[in-house]
Amino acid sequence: MNNNAEVKVTVLITAYNEEEKIERCLKSILEQTYKNFEIVLINDGSIDSTDEKIKIFISKNSAKNIRYYSRENKGRLISLNEGIFLAKGKYIAIQDADDYSLPNRLEKQVEYLEKHPNIDILGTAYYRLDAIRKEKYIRIYPETDKEIKKEMCKYIPLCQGSMMAKIDVLKSVGGYNINCKDAEDLDLWVRLGNKATFANLREPYYVYDLTMENSYFHKKYNFLDRNKRVFKLNCKAIKAFDLPKYNYIICFLRLLYPYIPVSLKKILRTKFSRIKEKNFY
């Protein structure tokens, strides 16, 4: 990054006990083809060797575009909000510490947002390495604002870790709801309502590495509780996006989802939603 240039993108990374994967995450950002970015990295009170590994990585890579903050544990949502208000970029890209981005992710997202100034929040398709369900596939979400908002009454049609957004849009609602127990991304989209315009890139530029050990969401809440929470937000999405009332029926069907076999879930996801999935090996 040219230190004399205005920062275009802030990549926000929050980490808690990510000693195994934080270096991979940071490496994937420093190797981006797009260079006008900074990294705001918040170590949220890790009790493993995350802090040590981050310091060594920054030192070895002479990473002057990383602003690193290490403090006591306050929780992921508070950390995300701190990062949003520390950001200097026009755009903010969320990067989960246990995942990684492909080298051209930032380039493709900035290019799209500059060409489509009406878009506020942009996700991408992604590689899903799902050790919990023992599946590997590319997940492709609907691409247009109309399709994305329509699908929000069924599931979460935008991968938070792949998101790049206009910083002012996130600040306009105060960032994330720190009282949200989980599904904080869907909660944010619903609170933004029709004040924001969404899009997804069809190509995968992000790798979602999902294991029970590294998933805060899966460790803290059992599957039924998670689906109840998402169900409530799906219902709120109907009002927020002015969707037809018959969608409440679809919301209620989500409560049956935990009891469906994994093999059948994939069929239902692709048949009754705009999700597309391609296996890879």
Side-chain angles (χ1 to χ4, degrees):
M1 183 185 75
N2 182 350
N3 290 328
N4 295 319
E6 182 179 347
V7 175
K8 181 76 75 172
V9 178
T10 296
V11 180
L12 173 56
I13 304 170
T14 66
Y16 177 73
N17 291 350
E18 295 292 353
E19 62 182 5
E20 297 297 325
K21 297 183 177 181
I22 189 63
E23 292 172 89
R24 181 186 69 177
C25 166
L26 291 170
K27 188 171 183 286
S28 79
I29 300 301
L30 289 188
E31 292 179 348
Q32 290 292 303
T33 55
Y34 184 83
K35 299 301 181 183
N36 188 8
F37 69 87
E38 63 166 357
I39 297 173
V40 172
L41 172 56
I42 299 175
N43 176 24
D44 186 32
S46 296
I47 57 176
D48 62 1
S49 63
T50 297
D51 178 65
E52 180 183 358
K53 292 202 170 184
I54 289 172
K55 289 176 178 176
I56 292 172
F57 180 89
I58 293 173
S59 176
K60 282 185 176 180
N61 291 276
S62 300
K64 296 179 181 179
N65 58 338
I66 298 179
R67 288 194 281 147
Y68 177 48
Y69 305 87
S70 185
R71 50 148 174 76
E72 73 280 6
N73 180 258
K74 294 182 181 180
R76 183 166 183 258
L77 298 184
I78 290 177
S79 297
L80 285 170
N81 281 348
E82 286 180 358
I84 287 170
F85 285 90
L86 285 167
K88 296 178 180 178
K90 174 182 177 181
Y91 305 120
I92 189 160
I94 302 295
Q95 169 69 54
D96 289 343
D98 50 356
D99 299 333
Y100 58 99
S101 292
L102 298 189
N104 55 347
R105 173 196 168 183
L106 298 184
E107 178 184 357
K108 294 297 184 181
Q109 288 187 293
V110 170
E111 181 182 90
Y112 185 92
L113 288 171
E114 294 289 285
K115 288 182 178 178
H116 301 84
N118 61 308
I119 299 300
D120 301 303
I121 296 171
L122 178 66
T124 79
Y126 63 94
Y127 293 92
R128 186 181 179 101
L129 311 181
D130 193 335
I132 297 174
R133 294 178 179 170
K134 304 187 187 309
E135 296 176 322
K136 292 183 179 181
Y137 53 85
I138 297 171
R139 177 171 284 184
I140 303 169
Y141 284 136
E143 298 172 63
T144 68
D145 179 67
K146 183 177 179 180
E147 291 175 327
I148 291 168
K149 288 176 178 175
K150 185 177 179 180
E151 295 292 281
M152 283 197 193
C153 68
K154 303 176 186 177
Y155 55 94
I156 307 174
L158 191 149
C159 175
Q160 178 175 221
S162 76
M163 178 189 79
M164 184 179 286
K166 292 177 180 175
I167 190 74
D168 291 342
V169 171
L170 300 189
K171 287 181 177 179
S172 71
V173 291
Y176 290 90
N177 175 8
I178 63 172
N179 297 313
C180 189
K181 291 184 178 180
D182 56 80
E184 70 280 350
D185 47 354
L186 183 57
D187 177 87
L188 177 58
W189 313 149
V190 170
R191 285 191 293 115
L192 282 167
N194 285 317
K195 293 184 291 184
T197 305
F198 300 83
N200 276 311
L201 297 180
R202 187 174 180 80
E203 296 300 317
Y205 298 109
Y206 189 76
V207 181
Y208 182 25
D209 189 2
L210 179 61
T211 66
M212 188 64 75
E213 290 74 23
N214 68 21
S215 173
Y216 170 85
F217 187 78
H218 285 79
K219 283 189 295 185
K220 190 170 182 180
Y221 304 99
N222 68 49
F223 200 28
L224 181 58
D225 288 342
R226 293 198 304 274
N227 274 274
K228 286 180 179 177
R229 173 62 181 168
V230 175
F231 156 73
K232 292 178 181 178
L233 289 170
N234 291 149
C235 289
K236 287 184 178 181
I238 295 172
K239 182 177 181 180
F241 301 116
D242 304 314
L243 301 177
K245 298 296 187 291
Y246 65 74
N247 284 294
Y248 284 110
I249 298 172
I250 298 173
C251 291
F252 278 104
L253 292 177
R254 165 169 275 283
L255 296 178
L256 301 176
Y257 197 68
Y259 305 103
I260 299 172
V262 171
S263 58
L264 183 55
K265 284 176 181 175
K266 185 166 186 177
I267 295 172
L268 292 173
R269 287 199 303 269
T270 55
K271 187 173 180 61
F272 295 103
S273 76
R274 292 183 179 270
I275 294 174
K276 295 182 180 179
E277 293 175 356
K278 298 179 181 179
N279 291 332
F280 72 93
Y281 301 95

